[in-house]
């Protein structure tokens, strides 16, 4: 009996060693990356909207078909493929309130369109209060 | 049925001296858990395009340096402007492959960075491989800033927008027109064919409104060239 227990213990230890090494190597699996300074979440955006101190303008950076299928309430479409056509509506919306915070989203974490749109809005319009929504539309 | 681990464990129990091989075994385990099967020739491509140039086909090549076949399970470009296409789906050990990428520059200007996430069936890899395309897509002309604005009831002072002709030959701008009579735009030539200035003045700042100012070049410019600026009372 003692021999069996000893074998089980040894087996468990032997199995644990590579498991611990693997867990250490892939430790990012267990960690949620922190938000970058210009990133936000749906929860934070909703809190900003409830606080009402700053008007929130949601920008949908996905392609036109995705926007037409579904989008966040009040979101305006703006993607680089149709930039010139869609930009005037965004400028109009920016002018509707003194202080407006823009939150740009695209599809998910692998989608870079929201960041590209945010960069271009900063460059072309000089608007600096812009956040990128981490996780995008699929994280709602 | 004895698993390899069971056999290994029993070996250690029956012959403690076999524990001497344990450090070597751990090194092998470590190497197995960190090895990447796909060895890419390059994961970044930089390209400086000419004005109006159609972008070439970009190739990312790799070799499967692992000891198992690798299946590409998903390819995800960061925008609809990229169309990545692998030459096949499964790559045997030692086999080389490539991802060909077409890049539609429509609507894109300036320094543009786009990525492609390549997911494979490798068990020990959580993150996809990331390929990056950095393109410099010069515009025939730069309008900066593209938007000037006045807060409601602030002084209706003139604000300026700079227009710079980039590279190539000179481009004469003949005129600038505002789509609203109550926001005027005057084109000032600083250096013929090279540098201009738009002076924009609202008649008043009582009413919120948006004007679109359009530049008229003397010669046609490549399709998609930005020729508009915005002036807004907000």
């Amino acid at each position: 009996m003692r021999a069996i227990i000893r074998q089980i213990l040894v087996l468990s230890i032997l199995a644990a060693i590579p498991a611990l090494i693997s867990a250490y190597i892939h430790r990012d699996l267990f960690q949620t990356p922190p938000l970058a300074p210009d990133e936000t979440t749906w929860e934070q955006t909703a809190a900003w909207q409830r606080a009402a101190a700053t008007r929130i303008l949601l920008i949908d950076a996905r392609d036109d078909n995705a926007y037409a299928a579904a989008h966040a309430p009040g979101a305006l479409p703006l993607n680089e493929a149709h930039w010139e056509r869609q930009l005037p509506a965004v400028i109009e919306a920016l002018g509707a309130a003194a202080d407006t915070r823009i939150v740009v989203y695209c599809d998910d974490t692998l989608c870079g369109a929201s960041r590209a749109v945010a960069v271009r809005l900063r460059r072309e319009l000089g608007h600096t209060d812009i956040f990128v929504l981490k996780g995008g539309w699929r994280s709602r | 049925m004895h698993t390899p681990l069971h056999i290994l464990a029993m070996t250690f129990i029956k012959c403690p001296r076999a524990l001497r091989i344990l450090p070597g075994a751990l090194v092998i385990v470590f190497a197995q858990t960190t090895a990447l099967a796909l060895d890419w020739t390059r994961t970044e491509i930089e390209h400086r395009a000419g004005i109006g140039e159609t972008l070439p086909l970009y190739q990312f090549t790799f070799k499967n340096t692992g000891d198992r076949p690798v299946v590409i399970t998903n390819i995800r470009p960061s925008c609809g402007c990229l169309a990545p296409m692998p030459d096949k789906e499964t790559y045997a050990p030692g086999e080389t492959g490539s991802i060909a990428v077409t890049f539609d520059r429509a609507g894109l200007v300036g320094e543009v960075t786009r990525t492609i996430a390549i997911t494979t069936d490798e068990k020990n890899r959580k993150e996809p491989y990331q390929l990056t395309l950095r393109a410099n897509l010069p515009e025939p002309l730069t309008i900066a800033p593209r938007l000037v604005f006045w807060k409601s009831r602030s002084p209706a002072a003139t604000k300026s927008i700079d227009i710079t002709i980039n590279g190539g030959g000179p481009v004469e701008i003949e005129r600038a027109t505002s789509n609203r009579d109550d926001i005027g735009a005057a084109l000032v030539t600083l250096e013929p064919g090279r540098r201009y200035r738009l002076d924009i003045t609202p008649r008043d700042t009582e009413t919120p409104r948006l004007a679109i100012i359009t530049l008229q070049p003397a010669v046609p410019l490549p399709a998609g060239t930005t020729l508009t600026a915005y002036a807004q009372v907000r």
Side-chain angles (χ1 to χ4, degrees):
Chain A
M1 183 64 183
R2 192 180 287 178
I4 293 173
I5 293 172
R6 192 176 64 177
Q7 286 184 20
I8 291 171
L9 275 173
V10 170
L11 270 174
S12 302
I13 291 167
L14 282 171
I17 292 169
L20 287 171
I21 293 170
S22 183
Y24 177 75
I25 292 165
H26 301 294
R27 57 191 178 278
D28 53 336
L29 282 169
F30 310 101
Q31 297 167 350
T32 305
L35 291 176
D38 68 339
E39 288 180 338
T40 187
T41 60
W42 285 111
E43 292 75 18
Q44 181 63 62
T45 303
W48 286 337
Q49 288 172 320
R50 283 194 301 273
T54 302
R55 180 168 162 269
I56 304 299
L57 174 59
L58 284 166
I59 300 286
D60 189 323
R62 300 174 301 157
D63 64 39
D64 290 0
N65 290 338
Y67 177 84
H71 57 264
L76 293 177
L78 181 63
N79 57 64
E80 292 195 280
H82 301 110
W83 188 263
E84 294 303 320
R85 174 166 58 80
Q86 295 169 334
L87 186 62
V90 173
I91 296 174
E92 290 267 21
L94 278 177
D99 296 309
T100 301
R101 175 169 296 156
I102 295 177
V103 176
V104 191
Y105 67 87
C106 53
D107 214 23
D108 57 26
T109 49
L110 294 178
C111 162
S114 53
R115 187 156 294 282
V117 165
V119 166
R120 196 158 168 185
L121 281 173
R122 287 190 194 103
R123 186 178 73 227
E124 292 197 7
L125 304 188
H127 195 88
T128 54
D129 194 359
I130 302 180
F131 286 79
V132 172
L133 209 147
K134 188 167 188 179
W137 175 251
R138 293 187 196 199
S139 68
R140 291 190 85 218
Chain B
M1 181 182 165
H2 295 299
T3 65
L5 185 61
H6 186 204
I7 294 166
L8 184 69
M10 294 310 289
T11 305
F12 288 146
I13 290 163
K14 289 179 177 170
C15 180
R17 276 187 292 183
L19 282 170
R20 288 175 187 170
I21 68 164
L22 192 59
L26 292 178
V27 168
I28 292 168
V29 168
F30 183 82
Q32 286 285 323
T33 52
T34 55
L36 302 179
L38 297 192
D39 183 20
W40 297 83
T41 308
R42 55 180 176 174
T43 55
E44 281 195 26
I45 294 178
E46 286 195 40
H47 178 67
R48 183 175 178 81
I51 291 172
E53 171 195 341
T54 301
L55 298 181
L57 187 70
Y58 300 100
Q59 296 272 4
F60 291 95
T61 56
F62 58 86
K63 182 177 183 180
N64 179 3
T65 57
D67 55 5
R68 296 175 190 168
V70 171
V71 179
I72 292 180
T73 54
N74 191 31
I75 298 183
R76 182 75 192 280
S78 65
C79 71
C81 57
L82 296 178
M85 184 65 68
D87 51 358
K88 56 193 287 193
E89 192 177 310
T90 304
Y91 297 88
E95 192 175 5
T96 57
S98 71
I99 310 283
V101 184
T102 54
F103 191 169
D104 180 3
R105 65 180 289 176
L108 301 175
V109 292
E111 297 286 345
V112 174
T113 300
R114 295 292 182 269
T115 58
I116 301 161
I118 311 285
T119 308
T120 65
D121 65 345
E122 292 167 78
K123 294 283 185 294
N124 57 2
R125 189 171 178 84
K126 179 207 168 195
E127 296 292 330
Y129 293 95
Q130 182 117 322
L131 307 178
T132 304
L133 267 173
R134 296 183 203 284
N136 185 304
L137 308 174
E139 300 169 272
L141 55 88
T142 303
I143 302 171
R146 288 198 68 197
L147 169 69
V148 289
F149 67 90
W150 295 259
K151 291 198 170 178
S152 187
R153 301 181 201 289
S154 66
T158 297
K159 296 197 176 189
S160 297
I161 291 175
D162 293 320
I163 300 159
T164 307
I165 310 301
N166 300 320
V171 175
E172 188 186 342
I173 305 294
E174 289 183 329
R175 62 180 174 276
T177 51
S178 170
N179 68 334
R180 296 189 64 102
D181 293 337
D182 53 6
I183 296 183
L187 183 68
V188 179
T189 301
L190 302 176
E191 186 182 339
R194 291 292 178 192
R195 291 197 311 125
Y196 297 85
R197 191 182 74 224
L198 265 178
D199 287 341
I200 303 169
T201 313
R203 187 179 298 158
D204 61 72
T205 58
E206 296 300 309
T207 317
R209 57 197 187 274
L210 176 67
I212 301 173
I213 294 131
T214 306
L215 304 176
Q216 182 65 55
V219 294
L221 296 177
T225 301
T226 298
L227 291 169
T228 52
Y230 300 91
Q232 185 178 44
V233 177
R234 54 170 70 163

